[in-house]
Each structure stands twice: as structure tokens, then as C-alpha cells.
Amino acid sequence: MAYKSLQQFIDILEKNNELIRIKRFVDPVHEITEITDRVSKLPDGGKALLFENTGTEFPVLTNAMGSIQRMCLALGIDDLEDIRSEMSSLFKELAGPKDGLWEKLSTLPKLGKVAGWMPSVSSGKGVCQEVVHMEPNIDLLPVLKCWPYDGGRFITLPMVNTKDPHTGIRNVGMYRMQIFNEAETGMHWHQHKVGARHFEEYKKLGKPMPVAVTLGGDPVYTYAATAPMPDNFDEYLLAGFLRKKRVNLVKCLTVDLEVPADVDFVIEGYVDPSDDLAWEGPFGDHTGFYSLADWYPRFHITCITHRKNAVYPATIVGVPPMEDAYIAKATERIFLEPIRIAMLPELNDMNLPFEGVAHNIALVRINNAYPGHAYKVMNALWGAGQMMFNKFLVALPDSVDVQNANQVIECIVDSVDLDRDIHFGKGPLDVLDHSSTMAGLGTKLFVDATVGKGLSLGYNVNATEIAAEIEKSFAEIIAYNVKLIQSGFPILFVSIDKSKVSKVNDTLERMFKNEILGKLLAIFALDFGDSIEDLSLALWFVAGNMDPQRDIHIISIDADERKRIGFDGTRKAYKVDNFKRDWPNVVIMDKETIERVDKIWGELGLGEFIPSPSIPLQTLQVGDNPIVRFGF
């Protein structure tokens, strides 16, 4: 389905009982974030929220794609698997072998259909240019300040349109934009992104780089800007395929670029390579930690245009799950088939769990046909587009449903031999990863659970016995979670007081060499305070804080060299860690905002009171700035 406007999508959301209108004034500084955070963490993502009173003439839409149902509505489908099936059919018809002339000619209508999805440029103005501000002031927009230690207000759903200066090939990326003043913002494109490469080409030419930032319109545009498209592939062609209708573009007024005619806002301008870089950030990011301040280009605004009655779209990111988790789930389903067809036909399914914030954890189900087959898959995935940022990769046999957590854990426990099936690699990491010694580069873990029988423990692990032994013998452990043990899996999560240990590895080794705890296969250690009941949060915390080769310890527990595995998922910000980079704080809301939202909750029309998700995480806040500074 092709939406004519963001407002039409809002109407569809409302018709499907997926939207709540909030008529009371809510401050774009912190309050919209706090309310959205509470709602988005409800089961299945809560509802989309339309804040109609923002102190500006524009309402704010948040959490619009923050559930599987709303993601499907945005893409105009009933099920995310529908796109995978359609893409598979299209690839087979276009690329499959053809026996004769007539069969080859039969593909022409399909080629015509693809051509019908290509974007087109119209003369004249679009509805996105109904209102024109040639003396631009970004303060007209209800731009959010999301989290307490953010460097300022940030545009969080910008579709950044640029072109290669040599080829003219367009790119549409999504790079956050910090507001510096009424006519300047930051442009936070990472070195791996196409927008950054375009910028480098303009720098070589010594020319300003034209940029057009769009907001709103058909939600497919927003999704396409986030999608991991191959280089030199037009995101508006993907949008055309998804909406089954070409994207109609119009010329910008002050820069030589084209944008969709039906978006809500267009912010035109340029980035000048001769400018000094600007100090941008910090920002409470989708990793659940602050991305710390750094130097990025400065975007100069030359013109702002918008629809009459425009709606300002925003997304809130932070500790998962939030809206971005469902967008990533759509990407997982949509791009699985191209990966299968283009390079890995043995790949049958993939799961990027919410706890892995899109890139930290990947589970793949494969046909394992020969020795080392899983390693072939590993190498291919770690070299494929944004999968190069993956940090923990687990290959599972075709008999395992990778969407079923119990099946995955059972297979790993039963199949993995710690000598045979654990492999450490090294490669690029997301620039936002804070755990590695060097920014953007670190180690990775691959687990091959496809081979067969692993370690046989030979006896049951008793949760009550484990708990009693921890309390008797390990004073440094302040909390523990035995839920997996109670489910039959020999895996323990513990929270450690790091002020009482010199090395976490020493505690892990003592635990495994204990007669009772030695029955366990794996122990995950966190410095998570006394609130470790939520295993999903614990797994997110561990995955974010680990550099695999540094923080995973394979431990021999006896003369027979029986092996166990320990994971140090603690923050490496203590003096004993001797870590040279700044370590970011977890993203949580300040107590004052939480209390204000508590007081006005009854006026918001959101139903039953929802406590702040930040409350259980408050013990993780260290100091009063985005950087963790432990005193010991």
C-alpha cells in the first residue's frame, strides 16, 4: 500500500486501534521520551502516540512502527514473511534459468514491473513545499531532547538525501542531527556510511556538499532510509518495491537534489568540507548506552519547507526493546531472502534478538552439509554489509527453531564442545560499541552448534543447592538469577560487587572449581546491582559490555581438563580494568522527569498507570554525566 501522507498512515493506525492521541501539553524536552519509553516497553510494543500539544504548531508522532503489527501496517502487508516470499519469487523469475525464447520473453513484464518502481522526478512543487521558510529557523519544529545527558535536541528520524558528486547516484541514510542553533545542526554519519563517503569525495573536490533532509511522508520512506542497502542502490527503488508504486520526487528550492513530493518537512542545506568539525553529542543511543561526544560535520540550513498541517515524526531509542527493535526485526525478515539467494542458499532462518540491539547477537539456522560448513557461513556473514558489525554469531542446525529461545539454549548446551566449537575472530564493530579497546574494531565470537554431541554433564543441577552455595561461599556476589537452572539449563547469571574482586576471571574460576557450582556449564557475571531478575536486560547488558576474546574465559576445572565457560559482562570502567577509553553510562531518565510524568499520567488518556522503565536501572547510573567514573 502506498500512503499519500503521514497523516493517512496515522488515520490507518487509529482505525486499527494502534494509536493514542494525547491532547494535554507534553514538553518535547524529556517528557515525550519518558512517556514513549513507558508505552513502547509494553508487551508487543504498546501503541503509537500522537502528541497534539507540543508548544509548537506541529504535533509529534512517536512509536509509529514500534510493533510487528504497526510495522506491517507501515509496509502495507499482513505478515512480514509476505515480503520475503514476494522477493524470493521475484528473484527466481528474473534470475532463474530460461529454456527458450518464449520463456525468456515472459520475464519482460516482470522487468517492466521493476521499472515501474523506479523513482521519477516531476516539475513544479510538491505538497512538501506548500509552506516555505527562506529564512530558516529549526526552532519552529518540536525537536526532542530525549535523555538527561544528551548534548542538546536531536532530530531522530531524518532521511538524509545526498548524491555522489561523480556518478550522481543518490543515497538516503538516517543520521541523527543535533541542533546547534536556529540554522545549523550536526550531521552524525559514521565512517562506514555512504553519506560519509560522499562527504569525503566533496572534500577532495573542495566543494560544499548539498544535503536535503526529509521527515515524514509514507512510512516506507523512513524504513528504506534505515535499510542495509547495497552501495549504489537507490533507497527509493526499495521504497517503490515495498509500496508497489514509484516514489514521485520534486526538485529542492535551494540545493540541487530531489526529495519525495509528499513528505511532511524538507530541510535543505549543505555541509562545507572547509568548516571545522563540530563537537556533537552525547546522545542516549539504541545500544542502551550513551554514545559519547565526538567531532562531526556541521550542516548549514538554507531553507525549510513543509506541508500545511504537517506532523513531526520522532523515534526514541535507549535500553531495548523500543521502536528500533521492531524496525530491525522487519529488516531481518526482508533481507533474509536476498542473502540466501545472493550468497548463502544454506541459510534457512535468522534471528537478531532484541537484546542484541540489531548487531550484537545473531542466531542462524543452516543446512550443515560438510565439515566446516558453519565456518563458511560465519565468514560470509561477517563480510556481508552491516553484518560485519555482528559480535556474537551462533550457527544452529536446521532442526532448531532460532525464534524459540528454549530450543536454541538446549541445542547449545547439548551440542557445543568448548574445545571444538568456539572460535574467536576480529573485525569491524559498530562505532557505537563501547566495549572494545579500539573504537570500531574488536573481537567476535562464533559458536558452531551444528556439529553434534557436546559436553555431557551427567547429572542434574539443583537451583536451591546452587543458591545456598553462592550465599555461603561467595561474598562478592550480591545477587543471582537461577531461572535457567530451574528450566533445566546449567547456566547461571550473577551480579558481582567489583570493588571486592581484583579480577572477575578469578571469581569465575573459583566458582567453577567449587564442587557444587562446578556442575554448571556457563556463568554470566554482571555488575548489575541487586536487580537481576530480568534475564532479557541481563543479556543485553552482557552483550553490550563484552569484547569476546578479552572477556570470555574457558576454564579447566580439574585434572581431566573438563571445561567450563565464563562471561565477564561487567563494565570495564573500574581502576582495576585499566581501560583507556571512556565508558558510557546506561541511558535512563532523571528522577524529576519521572515524577512529573507520574503526576500528569491521569491526564494523558493512556489508561492504567505504567511505572518508568528507568526505575529498575537507577543503580546503574554512576555520577552525573554520560561517562562512568568509578572511584575504585
Side-chain angles (χ1 to χ4, degrees):
M1 175 180 179
Y3 290 99
K4 296 179 181 179
S5 64
L6 183 58
Q7 183 60 58
Q8 185 186 16
F9 178 53
I10 290 170
D11 294 341
I12 292 295
L13 290 175
E14 195 160 31
K15 181 179 178 181
N16 284 272
N17 193 31
E18 288 285 342
L19 178 85
I20 297 175
R21 294 178 180 268
I22 298 174
K23 300 186 181 298
R24 186 198 189 280
F25 170 72
V26 178
D27 198 329
V29 176
H30 296 169
E31 290 182 0
I32 287 180
T33 295
E34 173 62 15
I35 294 166
T36 303
D37 191 28
R38 298 186 190 199
V39 172
S40 66
K41 285 184 170 59
L42 289 173
D44 299 320
K47 305 285 186 182
L49 302 176
L50 187 66
F51 297 88
E52 297 184 326
N53 187 347
T54 65
T56 72
E57 64 177 288
F58 305 110
V60 172
L61 178 67
T62 66
N63 206 32
M65 292 184 280
S67 73
I68 297 298
Q69 170 66 10
R70 291 196 296 282
M71 198 71 240
C72 288
L73 288 172
L75 300 176
I77 55 177
D78 296 323
D79 190 295
L80 292 177
E81 295 297 323
D82 294 347
I83 296 178
R84 179 184 171 189
S85 299
E86 183 178 358
M87 196 170 285
S88 176
S89 176
L90 179 65
F91 270 81
K92 287 176 182 176
E93 291 193 52
L94 294 179
K98 306 294 184 291
D99 293 332
L101 174 63
W102 292 111
E103 191 175 358
K104 292 177 181 178
L105 290 175
S106 71
T107 65
L108 292 178
K110 285 288 181 182
L111 294 173
K113 180 185 288 189
V114 173
W117 300 330
M118 296 291 291
S120 63
V121 181
S122 297
S123 60
K125 290 186 177 181
V127 292
C128 64
Q129 297 163 328
E130 289 177 327
V131 181
V132 178
H133 301 274
M134 294 304 291
E135 295 183 3
N137 182 353
I138 198 68
D139 293 332
L140 294 170
L141 278 60
V143 181
L144 309 187
K145 183 174 187 286
C146 297
W147 300 103
Y149 302 142
D150 282 357
R153 295 181 298 136
F154 284 84
I155 299 173
T156 55
L157 274 181
M159 296 170 275
V160 180
N161 296 257
T162 62
K163 280 186 179 180
D164 185 292
H166 306 294
T167 67
I169 295 175
R170 176 177 29 246
N171 181 72
V172 187
M174 187 163 288
Y175 320 118
R176 75 185 192 220
M177 297 166 60
Q178 181 179 343
I179 307 302
F180 294 148
N181 56 56
E182 63 184 26
E184 292 182 337
T185 78
M187 189 58 72
H188 186 93
W189 45 44
H190 294 166
Q191 60 184 334
H192 306 100
K193 302 299 184 180
V194 177
R197 293 206 292 275
H198 286 178
F199 176 64
E200 289 302 317
E201 293 305 312
Y202 276 95
K203 184 185 292 186
K204 293 174 185 175
L205 296 172
K207 295 180 179 180
M209 173 179 172
V211 178
V213 177
T214 56
L215 295 160
D218 191 327
V220 164
Y221 304 159
T222 300
Y223 172 73
T226 72
M229 298 293 288
D231 284 5
N232 301 324
F233 195 103
D234 194 332
E235 283 77 11
Y236 291 134
L237 174 57
L238 173 65
F241 163 73
L242 293 172
R243 71 203 297 258
K244 299 300 176 284
K245 183 179 180 180
R246 71 170 76 244
V247 179
N248 182 34
L249 306 174
V250 293
K251 291 280 189 180
C252 291
L253 302 184
T254 63
V255 293
D256 185 20
L257 292 168
E258 303 83 34
V259 294
D262 52 2
V263 294
D264 285 63
F265 296 90
V266 182
I267 307 170
E268 302 179 14
Y270 63 92
V271 176
D272 190 340
S274 67
D275 281 348
D276 291 334
L277 295 177
W279 190 242
E280 189 266 5
F283 177 71
D285 229 310
H286 79 280
T287 60
F289 297 83
Y290 280 94
S291 58
L292 301 179
D294 207 342
W295 299 102
Y296 282 92
R298 186 182 299 269
F299 173 58
H300 301 269
I301 303 172
T302 55
C303 176
I304 298 175
T305 69
H306 61 82
R307 282 176 171 265
K308 296 176 181 176
N309 303 316
V311 176
Y312 179 84
T315 192
I316 311 300
V317 294
V319 175
M322 301 187 84
E323 181 178 18
D324 60 294
Y326 295 95
I327 296 173
K329 186 57 65 173
T331 296
E332 170 200 299
R333 305 325 298 161
I334 291 170
F335 284 85
L336 174 61
E337 204 60 25
I339 292 173
R340 277 174 44 82
I341 292 170
M343 64 179 185
L344 286 174
E346 60 269 67
L347 177 64
N348 293 326
D349 200 3
M350 175 184 292
N351 181 10
L352 305 177
F354 289 171
E355 295 84 355
V357 297
H359 46 73
N360 279 346
I361 303 172
L363 311 173
V364 297
R365 177 167 65 91
I366 67 170
N367 290 322
N368 187 38
Y370 48 79
H373 198 161
Y375 287 84
K376 179 245 190 182
V377 172
M378 173 200 78
N379 286 310
L381 287 176
W382 279 348
Q386 293 189 33
M387 279 299 294
M388 68 177 172
F389 300 136
N390 170 251
K391 193 156 62 168
F392 297 93
L393 177 62
V394 182
L396 297 127
D398 197 40
S399 58
V400 174
D401 178 3
V402 294
Q403 311 297 332
N404 184 310
N406 281 346
Q407 285 191 32
V408 170
I409 297 171
E410 183 177 11
C411 179
I412 292 172
V413 169
D414 289 346
S415 302
V416 173
D417 182 290
L418 295 178
D419 285 324
R420 180 189 64 202
D421 301 325
I422 300 291
H423 172 76
F424 293 102
K426 186 175 184 179
L429 294 178
D430 192 294
V431 172
L432 302 180
D433 187 281
H434 59 270
S435 67
S436 61
T437 302
M438 180 178 176
L441 176 65
T443 66
K444 303 166 182 284
L445 173 70
F446 174 64
V447 179
D448 180 5
T450 68
V451 176
K453 194 65 178 174
L455 175 68
S456 177
L457 295 180
Y459 36 68
N460 293 324
V461 181
N462 184 285
T464 301
E465 189 180 36
I466 292 290
E469 187 63 22
I470 290 173
E471 293 182 7
K472 183 180 78 172
S473 304
F474 295 90
E476 66 267 46
I477 297 177
I478 58 179
Y480 50 85
N481 187 313
V482 295
K483 289 180 180 177
L484 288 176
I485 298 173
Q486 291 168 335
S487 297
F489 303 122
I491 300 171
L492 175 69
F493 281 75
V494 298
S495 184
I496 289 182
D497 181 350
K498 281 188 73 171
S499 68
K500 295 181 178 179
V501 300
S502 58
K503 293 181 180 179
V504 172
N505 185 36
D506 292 343
T507 294
L508 290 170
E509 186 166 357
R510 282 178 51 234
M511 293 177 75
F512 280 128
K513 290 186 175 180
N514 178 281
E515 182 179 358
I516 303 299
L517 300 186
K519 300 175 183 179
L520 297 167
L521 173 61
I523 299 175
F524 290 81
L526 307 75
D527 56 330
F528 209 69
D530 59 4
S531 179
I532 197 174
E533 284 301 301
D534 190 325
L535 279 178
S536 179
L537 280 178
L539 183 58
W540 153 75
F541 193 73
V542 166
N545 285 335
M546 288 182 59
D547 181 271
Q549 194 158 27
R550 180 192 66 210
D551 297 327
I552 293 176
H553 305 285
I554 309 295
I555 297 169
S556 297
I557 65 170
D558 54 28
D560 294 331
E561 293 193 358
R562 290 183 298 161
K563 301 289 177 44
R564 302 292 188 264
I565 186 167
F567 298 82
D568 179 2
T570 64
R571 290 165 289 185
K572 310 305 183 297
Y574 300 80
K575 289 184 178 179
V576 68
D577 295 308
N578 196 31
F579 192 76
K580 302 302 183 184
R581 296 172 61 200
D582 285 333
W583 197 274
N585 254 317
V586 169
V587 177
I588 64 171
M589 189 53 71
D590 61 277
K591 294 179 181 179
E592 294 76 15
T593 301
I594 293 172
E595 291 171 358
R596 285 200 309 273
V597 171
D598 285 350
K599 289 178 181 178
I600 67 172
W601 189 266
E603 305 172 44
L604 299 174
L606 292 169
E608 185 177 348
F609 178 76
I610 305 170
S612 175
S614 292
I615 292 174
L617 301 173
Q618 286 179 338
T619 57
L620 299 179
Q621 184 75 61
V622 180
D624 56 359
N625 64 69
I627 299 172
V628 172
R629 300 195 189 282
F630 286 110
F632 44 81

